[in-house]
Amino acid sequence: MDTVKISSGQAKIIAHRGLSGIERENTCPAFVAAGNRSYFGIEADVHITKDGKFIIIHDETTNRVTAGVHKINVERTTHSKSENIILPDLDGTTIRKDIKIPLLDEYLSICKKYGKTAVLEVKSLFSESDIKKLVLNIKALGYIENVIFISFALENCINLRKLLPQSQIQLLTKRELTSDIIRTLCENKLDLDINYKKLTKEAVDLLHSHKIRVNCWTCDNKADAERLVDYGVDFITTNILE
Ligand code: G3P
Ligand code: CA
């Protein structure tokens, strides 16, 4: 298996949930696969367990990634309930024992080893104290300057901005671009991470005129990605394009 090569121009390419076109999403193998390729960044989704551990998984539960074998709500249970689960490979087999739900520290240490920017999505609405704990945890690993934070929750972005005046923080949206969104981004010194289907060249130019960087997700099609490059986007998030 290999990735689809594109002419990425100025756009920095981010491997979505690790290189999830090739390896099980949000696992160490997916992060290492991205680490070994030309990606600028590696995206991952973080949740906090009932006992305060930061774990990397997209959904609130283990249901989908275990094909229904385990139905644990990760935020309502302790880490010990999910740490030993072997996730099925993309072909459904469980022969490999390295496909597991990683901790934040494991993900960041892979980003650090391979010199990749960590694009960390704060998946659910975190309390202000959990945001503080998350930032302290990343600072303790010495990687805070190499993390771009993303979140659909404006409150998470605002709480991160209070602690991290210089960091790149991107508000995720599924909506069309509006003047309200632009105002919110400017007021809070945020960038934008938007569904790529909602983007136009005019929207990218408008965002850039306000000094707002533009990330877009999740584009796996070569022709669409090259069109986004022509629009001048700053980042493209993808499962497979390199
Ligand atoms: O990179 C942004 C993208 O990850 C947001 O959507 O559902 O894949 O987390 P989702
Ligand atoms: Ca995500």
Side-chain angles (χ1 to χ4, degrees), residues 175-190:
R175 294 164 38 206
E176 309 276 346
L177 185 65
T178 61
S179 52
D180 280 354
I181 294 181
I182 294 184
R183 194 174 319 112
T184 300
L185 298 172
C186 291
E187 279 169 9
N188 296 288
K189 235 181 99 194
L190 304 174

Side-chain angles (χ1 to χ4, degrees), residues 1 28 35 47 59 61 87 105 119 139 156 160 168-169 233:
M1 284 191 287
C28 290
H47 285 267
D59 301 354
T61 78
L87 305 179
D105 297 12
V119 180
K139 282 187 174 171
N156 285 339
L160 284 161
Q168 281 193 52
I169 303 169
V233 298

Side-chain angles (χ1 to χ4, degrees), residues 14-17 26 43-45 58-59 119 121 123 150 152 170 172-174 193-194 215-218 237-239:
I14 297 166
H16 181 239
R17 311 183 194 174
N26 281 323
E43 194 258 2
D45 303 285
H58 181 273
D59 301 354
V119 180
E121 180 175 350
K123 199 69 207 170
I150 63 177
F152 283 104
Q170 301 175 349
L172 277 159
T173 186
K174 296 175 181 167
D193 192 356
I194 188 168
N215 187 359
C216 53
W217 52 274
T218 303
T237 304
T238 176
N239 297 309

Side-chain angles (χ1 to χ4, degrees), residues 199-216:
L199 264 187
T200 60
K201 168 95 177 98
E202 291 67 36
V204 175
D205 288 346
L206 182 61
L207 288 158
H208 282 167
S209 74
H210 287 87
K211 308 221 176 316
I212 296 166
R213 283 172 281 236
V214 184
N215 187 359
C216 53

Side-chain angles (χ1 to χ4, degrees), residues 66-150:
T66 65
V69 175
H70 298 273
K71 294 180 179 155
I72 294 166
N73 182 307
V74 293
E75 298 211 340
R76 293 200 202 126
T77 52
T78 58
H79 178 234
S80 61
K81 301 281 185 221
S82 56
E83 69 179 330
N84 294 318
I85 295 174
I86 304 296
L87 305 179
D89 205 340
L90 296 186
D91 63 3
T93 63
T94 48
I95 298 163
R96 284 172 60 185
K97 305 303 175 208
D98 60 337
I99 308 180
K100 298 172 77 175
I101 300 167
L103 286 164
L104 174 71
D105 297 12
E106 295 173 78
Y107 157 67
L108 289 176
S109 73
I110 293 169
C111 291
K112 196 172 187 178
K113 176 170 183 172
Y114 291 95
K116 303 297 184 183
T117 291
V119 180
L120 184 63
E121 180 175 350
V122 182
K123 199 69 207 170
S124 53
L125 181 60
F126 275 28
S127 66
E128 196 165 356
S129 64
D130 286 340
I131 291 279
K132 277 187 187 150
K133 194 174 151 189
L134 176 69
V135 168
L136 282 176
N137 193 319
I138 300 169
K139 282 187 174 171
L141 291 166
Y143 215 57
I144 197 74
E145 278 155 22
N146 303 89
V147 176
I148 296 174
F149 292 91
I150 63 177

